[in-house]
Amino acid sequence: MSMSTAVADIIKQAEQLSLAEQLAIIAYLADRSCMLAGTHQTDHPWSDVAGIIDYPLFGEDAQAYIAQVRAENDHIRENRLRDAQPA
C-alpha cells in the first residue's frame, strides 16, 4: 500500500515523539475514526484494555511515581509555609 507524501511526513514526525505523545495521537485518531464511522462508544470497560501494554509502561513503577510526587508536593508545601511565616 503506497502512502501519500503527507502521510509519510506525518509518520516521520510521529517517530520523533515520545511514547506518551504517540499513544495520545493513536487514541485521538481511533476516537475520531469511531465517531466518523458512527461506532463511537463512550463507556469502555477497563477489562477490555487490561494487559495490552507491558508493565511498567514508562519504565517507572506506579508506587514509586506516587511516592515521588507526594515528596515533591510536601517539599513545595513546606517551602510555602516557611515563606508565609512572619520574620
Side-chain angles (χ1 to χ4, degrees):
M1 179 177 156
S2 66
M3 286 185 265
S4 70
T5 305
V7 172
D9 289 343
I10 291 170
I11 290 172
K12 285 180 185 177
Q13 291 176 12
E15 289 172 347
Q16 303 303 311
L17 300 174
S18 70
L19 176 59
E21 292 168 325
Q22 290 179 22
L23 290 172
I25 290 172
I26 291 168
Y28 168 79
L29 292 173
D31 223 23
R32 180 171 164 73
S33 298
C34 288
M35 286 176 57
L36 293 174
T39 60
H40 188 260
Q41 295 177 343
T42 56
D43 295 328
H44 297 285
W46 283 107
S47 59
D48 287 353
V49 296
I52 64 171
I53 298 176
D54 292 335
Y55 176 82
L57 176 60
F58 298 107
E60 185 173 11
D61 179 67
Q63 289 300 321
Y65 173 78
I66 290 170
Q68 176 188 348
V69 170
R70 286 181 178 165
E72 290 170 359
N73 287 339
D74 288 346
H75 180 71
I76 291 168
R77 186 172 38 257
E78 288 170 3
N79 285 342
R80 286 182 181 167
L81 288 172
R82 186 186 66 235
D83 292 344
Q85 291 178 353

